[in-house]
Amino acid sequence: MQAALILFSVATLAPLCGSAIAGLFGHRIGDGAAQAVTVLCMLIATVCSYGALMGGFMGGGMPSVALLAHWVDAGSFHVNWALRFDTLSATMVAMVLTVSTLVHIYSIGYMSHDTMPRYRFFSYLSLFTFAMLMLVTSNDLIQLFFGWEGVGLASYLLIGYWYQKPSACAAAIKAFVVNRVADLFFLVGIGLIFVVFGTVQYDDIFATVPDHVQTGYYLFGSTHSVLEVIATLLFIGAMGKSAQLFLHTWLPDAMEGPTPVSALIHAATMVTAGVFLMARMSPLVEFAPDTRIFIVLIGATTCFFAATVGLVQPDIKRTIAYSTCSQLGYMFMAIGVGAYQAAVFHLTTHAFFKAMLFLGAGCVIHAMHDEQDMFRMGGLWKKIPVTYAMMWIGSLALAGVFPFAGYWSKDAILNAAWVSHSGMGTYGWILGTVTAFITALYSWRLIFLVFHGKPRDQHAFDHAHESPAVMLGPVLILSVGALVAGAVLAPLYIGGKQEGFWGGAIFNAPGNTVMASLEDVPTLIGLMPSIVGLLGIALAYVLYIAKPELPEQIATSFRPVYQFLLNKWYFDELYDVIFVKPYRAIARALWHGVDEGVIEKIPVGLAEATRGTAVTATRTQTGSIAIYAFTMLVGLVVFVTTVVFFQ
């Protein structure tokens, strides 16, 4: 077990070493050396993560904690820098490092023609990975918040990497600001946890959660369960990071960054942080039933909303981005019905096929010389057959077709929603099943528009070519995960071996029988996601291959609905009216009225008064000795008179 802890520590710290070397010395050692250093550190970290994972299981000693240093000592508040080594953290570390290492390798080819310093890009990638590792290995909420803010910072740097593009800078700022709004609630939740429990360390919190089930908290004129308040605050924080409805608007704009950044954000790091948080806090969330109902509502609605928007997007990356938002809704739906294991299972399988889809999209963009509009593509399967095959595998996994990875995890979530036997669970199952149909439809819409039909840009088509091996290699490796990860991991994550596998890292209350009842669904209910998925594929074939004129006719006939979906349910426009324009008006008034009108005039006024006094004083300097003598005489008379009368 000691050896496993050492390997675990190396796995979490190695990416920081690579980031530091590339960032501090990259301009001296060059882009090539910086790339080599960061990739080498990532490879070492990945190997160590698998060694730690296997060592922990073989040793049978998980969970345990590796204390690295004392961090904060302030009165009764004590925080150590430590690495929590249990099944949840170990599997997350292995998944994050696997995907991130492949993204690093892929980036060597994808960024090879970029004119900006590539050492900075690779330094940011490794920093992003390190921050996520600190988040998932934290032993308390303060270290988790450090990693939480770290991935926020790294996402800002990477989304705005092409800082000469105004759209990239705006997207980076938008992601940063929206997440800060959600993080305020998360931070208040952490503070309330410390007030109630007197600690921020996981084990100490979880041990005393049952003691606070009846504890009330006075808020907004009434008393609420303090556990409900805390769980809601934490979930709102998770909504921002994981781009759930109302706090999702930053996610599609994040596509302004390089494609490898999109793959890393959407597959293994930032957006999965919210799901991880809720799974880690399952011992607390289990005792907040009202919050769990709210989580199902938001998750199910998000998965449907994002799928409808992805159905009409012309940009290949934005289509996949909305797919991510939709799949995260499934994960939160599982959290809400108490199937935390199924949520983490889908998080893991989704990491493989979503990273694969984004990197595959990057290969398409690379082949089309940076073109991202699917309506300017077509017929590419002849030019890039390997990428075509990989996109099929990723889409089959996303659509949940047997036996691909998404089938096992997505069906587990829908089955969990059904067997929860609750009104909100049924709501989640209905929207989740409808979304499965839409997901298959927009996935094959992408495939048919990009790879089939006649080329819509003949010049770009003629010059299209397959990506180099350094880009195709990571996509091929991820395809293996998209193929077999579901079948291999299902017995451990959600099957008969789950209790021994998780080892208490995820908690289910005694009355929560959802995970034990996953197989207790009617046959038709169990088959429904697969049936609607195949129907979605069939409909996509009719619309984009058999009768390609139909989509335009439908869009014309239902123009208001089409515009509503194309404009993303008008959330950006609504927020612009409610928040952005009033804020700008207030800022402009403060700028002109207060800043320029008051603050700047005070020093200017003082300067003018000083100048006027100085001008007046200079007028007394005439150069006449008689006047100077007379002035001295007057001063002497005043002085003598004062002394005589006031002695």
Side-chain angles (χ1 to χ4, degrees), residues 371-526:
E371 179 61 65
Q372 296 182 198
D373 189 345
M374 293 186 291
F375 290 98
R376 294 180 63 85
M377 301 178 187
L380 287 177
W381 73 271
K382 300 175 183 178
K383 290 284 189 174
I384 48 176
V386 178
T387 300
Y388 173 61
M390 295 303 101
M391 293 296 285
W392 260 91
I393 293 173
S395 297
L396 287 167
L398 175 62
V401 176
F402 180 85
F404 296 87
Y407 164 81
W408 303 90
S409 54
K410 184 189 290 185
D411 280 28
I413 292 174
L414 292 175
N415 288 348
W418 180 268
V419 301
S420 67
H421 302 301
S422 64
M424 194 54 67
T426 303
Y427 172 81
W429 184 86
I430 293 172
L431 282 191
T433 303
V434 173
T435 300
F437 169 79
I438 301 174
T439 300
L441 177 56
Y442 69 66
S443 295
W444 265 262
R445 170 181 178 265
L446 184 154
I447 287 178
F448 293 145
L449 284 175
V450 172
F451 295 103
H452 292 270
K454 296 180 180 179
R456 300 175 188 87
D457 187 333
Q458 191 63 47
H459 177 75
F461 175 81
D462 292 338
H463 292 84
H465 56 84
E466 194 65 88
S467 299
V470 72
M471 294 173 63
L472 289 179
V475 182
L476 289 169
I477 294 173
L478 288 167
S479 71
V480 177
L483 277 168
V484 305
V488 171
L489 297 178
L492 299 174
Y493 278 66
I494 61 171
K497 301 178 181 179
Q498 61 174 295
E499 186 173 347
F501 174 76
W502 290 112
I506 293 177
F507 175 78
N508 293 112
N512 184 349
T513 60
V514 169
M515 293 307 299
S517 306
L518 286 183
E519 303 298 326
D520 300 336
V521 295
T523 303
L524 181 60
I525 296 299

Side-chain angles (χ1 to χ4, degrees), residues 505-583:
I506 293 177
F507 175 78
N508 293 112
N512 184 349
T513 60
V514 169
M515 293 307 299
S517 306
L518 286 183
E519 303 298 326
D520 300 336
V521 295
T523 303
L524 181 60
I525 296 299
L527 291 175
M528 190 60 70
S530 298
I531 293 172
V532 298
L534 293 174
L535 289 175
I537 296 172
L539 180 58
Y541 176 82
V542 172
L543 292 175
Y544 297 98
I545 298 296
K547 296 184 177 181
E549 70 280 0
L550 277 180
E552 184 175 356
Q553 293 176 3
I554 294 172
T556 303
S557 300
F558 299 93
R559 194 71 180 174
V561 176
Y562 175 75
Q563 288 295 325
F564 180 71
L565 299 181
L566 187 63
N567 287 283
K568 302 159 289 188
W569 291 25
Y570 292 102
F571 271 104
D572 284 305
E573 291 78 4
L574 181 64
Y575 288 172
D576 190 57
V577 172
I578 297 175
F579 300 113
V580 178
K581 288 182 178 178
Y583 178 82

